[in-house]
Amino acid sequence: MSFAENLAAVRSRIASACARAGRDPATVGIVAVSKTQPAEVVIEAVAAGVDAIGENRVQEAAVKRPLVGGATPWHLIGPLQRNKAKLALDLLDLIETVDRPELADRLEALGAPSQRVLPVFIEVNIGVEDQKSGVLPVASPALVERILGQCPHLRLCGVMTVPPYDPDPRRSRPYFEALRRLARDLERRFGLSPLQLSMGMSEDFEAAVEEGATLVRLGRVLFGERRIAP
Ligand SMILES: *Cc1c(COP(=O)(O)O)cnc(C)c1O
């Protein structure tokens, strides 16, 4: 199957999930997660019209993005170390994984001189798992407050999560619902316009769409198996 065929199949599955939930499929964007995939296939993804490219490592994006070109935005979806923040800021269009005040402060300090405003999502550890990246749900209002109050060069426009691993997508669904509720709560509390909900991967994106995902992050279902260990 070509990338374009895989994308068409995914779009029809998203449309069915939207029909079940009474949603408009045009409100669900697709981030093609190209980690481990060579630039040639990322070029196919861009040509096929995905909404964004997602990479989980800044250095991998740095190698591939110049080879891929095009106007499709690139999102960082993996953890961002402090020492990679400058490269990330220069290279990526949106960072989905702001998960601590220190990182927000760092991106703010780096972005301020250029006057650029970087769109960011906060990553939430919605299942409150040990060893998992993401801000805890209880700490997320404080992180939002920090970004809104202290970081004029960051624009908070969404929340992102990876729920606890479970091969049964039905068990991810309560976590997707929890992220949606958290987003609505943050919007009310801080008077924000609707936040994007980045949730759902190859195994569980339909459940995520039924729970309100506005961006799904899809790797294997679009590209096939990963090429090398991520
Ligand atoms: C790899 C990855 C994905 C995509 O995973 P698939 O199961 O291949 O769809 C989505 N989100 C994040 C954060 C990832 O690291």
Side-chain angles (χ1 to χ4, degrees), residues 33 35 56 77 160 162 201-203 217-221 226:
V33 177
K35 62 189 182 207
N56 68 337
I77 61 165
M160 176 273 210
V162 179
M201 310 182 5
S202 289
E203 308 294 346
R217 304 181 310 271
L218 304 176
R220 289 161 302 143
V221 74
R226 286 190 251 290

Side-chain angles (χ1 to χ4, degrees), residues 16-78:
S16 303
C18 282
R20 291 193 290 278
R23 298 187 57 200
D24 174 0
T27 61
V28 183
I30 296 175
V31 180
V33 177
S34 55
K35 62 189 182 207
T36 81
Q37 304 293 342
E40 308 86 80
V41 254
V42 188
I43 290 170
E44 276 184 65
V46 166
V50 299
D51 298 285
I53 298 297
E55 283 284 345
N56 68 337
R57 293 168 66 213
V58 181
Q59 280 128 313
E60 195 177 333
V63 172
K64 283 194 265 181
R65 189 166 191 177
L67 301 171
V68 172
T72 305
W74 286 53
H75 292 192
L76 184 70
I77 61 165

Side-chain angles (χ1 to χ4, degrees), residues 8-177:
V10 160
R11 284 210 168 113
S12 96
R13 290 169 64 184
I14 289 174
S16 303
C18 282
R20 291 193 290 278
R23 298 187 57 200
D24 174 0
T27 61
V28 183
I30 296 175
V31 180
V33 177
S34 55
K35 62 189 182 207
T36 81
Q37 304 293 342
E40 308 86 80
V41 254
V42 188
I43 290 170
E44 276 184 65
V46 166
V50 299
D51 298 285
I53 298 297
E55 283 284 345
N56 68 337
R57 293 168 66 213
V58 181
Q59 280 128 313
E60 195 177 333
V63 172
K64 283 194 265 181
R65 189 166 191 177
L67 301 171
V68 172
T72 305
W74 286 53
H75 292 192
L76 184 70
I77 61 165
L80 179 55
Q81 307 309 323
R82 187 187 157 80
N83 61 347
K84 302 279 162 33
K86 178 74 172 90
L87 184 58
L89 192 77
D90 291 342
L91 187 72
L92 296 151
D93 300 286
L94 190 153
I95 294 177
E96 295 201 16
T97 50
V98 174
D99 63 355
R100 53 199 192 280
E102 302 71 41
L103 179 57
D105 291 348
R106 175 90 179 141
L107 290 168
E108 170 62 28
L110 290 167
S114 70
Q115 306 285 343
R116 172 168 168 222
V117 177
L118 178 73
V120 297
F121 295 175
I122 61 168
E123 179 181 6
V124 182
N125 179 357
I126 198 73
V128 192
E129 294 173 274
D130 288 343
Q131 319 274 324
K132 187 114 163 199
S133 52
V135 62
L136 292 174
V138 291
S140 56
L143 179 57
V144 168
E145 198 168 3
R146 177 72 142 257
I147 294 171
L148 297 176
Q150 313 286 324
C151 305
H153 298 86
L154 301 184
R155 181 159 50 83
L156 177 69
C157 43
V159 295
M160 176 273 210
T161 201
V162 179
Y165 175 74
D166 196 311
D168 181 352
R170 285 173 301 184
R171 284 205 278 266
S172 299
R173 204 165 156 152
Y175 295 105
F176 296 143
E177 184 189 359

